[in-house]
Amino acid sequence: MRFEENFATRVSRQKASEIRELLKLLDQPGILSFAGGIPDPALFPTQAFGQAFTDALEGNAQALQYSVSEGYLPLREWIVSEMARNGVTCSVDNIMITSGSQQALDYLGKLFLSPGDTALVGWPTYLGALAAFNAYEPAFDQLSINGNRAAEDYQSKAAATGGQVKFAYLSADFANPTGETVDRQGREGVLQLADALDCAVIEDAAYQSLRYDGAPVPPILALEQAQKGSIEACRTIYCGSFSKTLSPGLRVGWVVAATPVIKQLVLMKQAADLHSATINQMAIHRVAEGGFDAHVAGVRDVYRRRRDAMLQALDRFMPKGVQWTKPEGGMFVWVTLPAELDGADLLARSLQTEKVAFVPGRAFFADGSGGNSIRLSFSCADETMIAEGMARLGRLITAAKVGQA
Ligand SMILES: Cc1ncc(COP(=O)(O)O)c(C=O)c1O
């Protein structure tokens, strides 16, 4: 059978992630990789999870049983109190547990996007969000933060592709890939724009707990609730995750939103995978309850040192004409190269010469622009490796500039 001829049209937009393909090349010996962007496994609370799984199984076969699509109630109760600490008042009815926040992005795409509708995203934005939304055949338009683009402009562009603006998606804290944070004014601007467009805001909070310095900015959902009173009046849908703090492999995340959204998401989850793994939710709950703050404080200390090491090494080794972000948290530094250099070409050259790996920036742009940028991750590298890697990257860029001159 020629399967390809029978695939649905939406599949044509599905492409292999440039990052995953790249990671396959990076197992060669001698490569210093800053490409991954995954948490350091040395920081996982393995002992606490060992105990939590034992406890969950002890005389409790329910840990291995089917469970409700909304998610494990004690975990949702823990999230209610965690959200309250971040300025959001909600109840367990406003929360659904997902299999990682990636599943929330897929479901929200499915919930809102008909073919031709528009999703507003950053230029650049999280590649996994573009992939998740892409399956629902939307158009993408650039979300301008702190800009002065009028709502009518977004609307007329959306009408031209036969749909409406359905949501603005953003990661306001230490975004992947830039590491940048949207300030309070920017967040309020996004809410104002969403009010004018009458569309949802999807707040991706995957990195929110990983702040290393500077004052925290309230989540967009908290700012909106302060304006409108009840979570039921809010258009912001908050996607949280335990992946960057406790464990990505257990695949536990959550959505917080007004109940009509949660009700639809629960129906969607019933149809898709019934529920997230029961025992994983129980284990996450036990570990979170037993010392989330203390654990995350330890994780932050390690990543803060790595972030500092990377910024210092960039200062020391980058040639003139290269710029980079100074993230207050998260895992990434975003480097803008001189306009004539291309990140993908640079990586190809690097694998032959300096053997330092990073992600070319183009993949993070819905329109394929941004060729002269690269993403560096400091999460899995110690300070010595960071210094050596940035020295190599500096030499690589310098040589490429000379080659272009
Ligand atoms: C911005 C952002 N959102 C969501 C995710 C998905 O994470 P998870 O599904 O593990 O919660 C990631 C993973 O890298 C991410 O960087």
Side-chain angles (χ1 to χ4, degrees):
M1 176 175 174
R2 302 246 283 270
F3 287 108
E4 292 75 2
E5 287 169 15
N6 285 282
F7 289 159
T9 49
R10 61 182 167 272
V11 172
S12 65
R13 299 169 59 134
Q14 201 162 279
K15 47 182 188 218
S17 149
E18 197 167 327
I19 299 191
R20 300 244 153 70
E21 292 306 302
L22 190 92
L23 288 175
K24 291 183 198 157
L25 297 176
L26 302 183
D27 287 336
Q28 301 169 30
I31 297 219
L32 295 188
S33 178
F34 302 91
I38 55 177
D40 185 342
L43 301 174
F44 296 155
T46 38
Q47 267 190 338
F49 272 119
Q51 191 60 51
F53 276 98
T54 306
D55 291 349
L57 284 169
E58 196 86 9
N60 182 12
Q62 289 308 315
L64 301 177
Q65 184 56 286
Y66 284 120
S67 56
V68 294
S69 302
E70 288 83 347
Y72 181 53
L73 185 58
L75 179 59
R76 285 191 288 141
E77 286 167 345
W78 185 88
I79 291 168
V80 166
S81 58
E82 182 65 14
M83 293 304 298
R85 292 202 306 164
N86 287 312
V88 174
T89 307
C90 63
S91 81
V92 290
D93 296 332
N94 299 111
I95 295 170
M96 183 180 86
I97 303 296
T98 55
S99 298
S101 53
Q102 189 66 32
Q103 184 174 58
L105 299 180
D106 174 38
Y107 286 1
L108 291 168
K110 195 175 196 174
L111 183 59
F112 285 106
L113 298 170
S114 298
D117 277 337
T118 290
L120 304 183
V121 297
W123 246 237
T125 192
Y126 169 50
L127 177 59
L130 292 177
F133 302 151
N134 234 335
Y136 304 103
E137 305 177 80
F140 292 106
D141 192 6
Q142 183 175 6
L143 174 64
S144 151
I145 293 169
N146 289 324
N148 52 5
R149 202 174 149 198
E152 295 72 34
D153 190 37
Y154 290 101
Q155 278 161 334
S156 60
K157 221 170 152 198
T161 56
Q164 283 168 254
V165 177
K166 288 296 182 65
F167 56 74
Y169 162 82
L170 75 162
S171 199
D173 298 277
F174 334 120
N176 178 1
T178 63
E180 285 177 328
T181 297
V182 178
D183 62 14
R184 192 186 178 113
Q185 197 188 346
R187 295 176 196 218
E188 281 167 350
V190 170
L191 283 171
Q192 241 173 24
L193 174 67
D195 279 345
L197 292 170
D198 195 20
C199 72
V201 174
I202 299 179
E203 177 173 27
D204 182 337
Y207 297 93
Q208 205 166 69
S209 305
L210 298 183
R211 174 175 280 282
Y212 313 137
D213 42 41
V217 189
I220 299 174
L221 179 55
L223 292 173
E224 188 178 17
Q225 199 174 23
Q227 288 171 9
K228 297 182 183 164
S230 160
I231 189 162
E232 298 303 331
C234 290
R235 57 178 70 252
T236 304
I237 301 168
Y238 177 105
C239 304
S241 176
F242 290 104
S243 290
K244 317 297 174 185
T245 50
L246 297 183
S247 158
L250 294 179
R251 311 302 304 129
V252 182
W254 71 94
V255 183
V256 185
T259 44
V261 173
I262 296 296
K263 281 188 180 144
Q264 280 301 327
L265 291 176
V266 167
L267 294 177
M268 213 168 256
K269 194 160 173 67
Q270 274 167 10
D273 68 349
L274 299 180
H275 61 81
S276 297
T278 313
I279 193 168
N280 291 4
Q281 296 184 63
M282 288 178 165
I284 288 275
H285 172 244
R286 275 159 209 260
V287 172
E289 204 177 43
F292 184 78
D293 286 355
H295 177 73
V296 177
V299 171
R300 279 196 295 255
D301 284 345
V302 174
Y303 290 157
R304 180 188 299 109
R305 285 201 297 275
R306 293 178 181 173
R307 189 266 328 250
D308 290 346
M310 184 166 273
L311 293 179
Q312 278 161 19
L314 285 165
D315 263 338
R316 180 156 170 223
F317 295 114
M318 281 305 115
K320 264 220 182 85
V322 178
Q323 291 171 331
W324 57 92
T325 55
K326 316 270 183 308
E328 291 185 327
M331 297 181 173
F332 306 106
V333 175
W334 180 249
V335 178
T336 306
L337 306 166
E340 66 278 12
L341 295 189
D342 182 88
D345 293 346
L346 199 67
L347 180 64
R349 187 176 179 136
S350 177
L351 295 175
Q352 302 303 318
T353 57
E354 295 289 352
K355 300 205 182 299
V356 57
F358 45 82
V359 183
R362 204 188 304 279
F364 302 98
F365 288 78
D367 67 347
S369 62
N372 66 322
S373 49
I374 62 175
R375 188 193 75 179
L376 297 173
S377 166
F378 50 79
S379 55
C380 287
D382 65 24
E383 283 96 317
T384 316
M385 172 176 158
I386 289 172
E388 170 61 19
M390 295 308 102
R392 291 188 192 187
L393 186 63
R395 284 200 300 267
L396 181 75
I397 296 174
T398 305
K401 278 176 65 180
V402 170
Q404 290 288 320

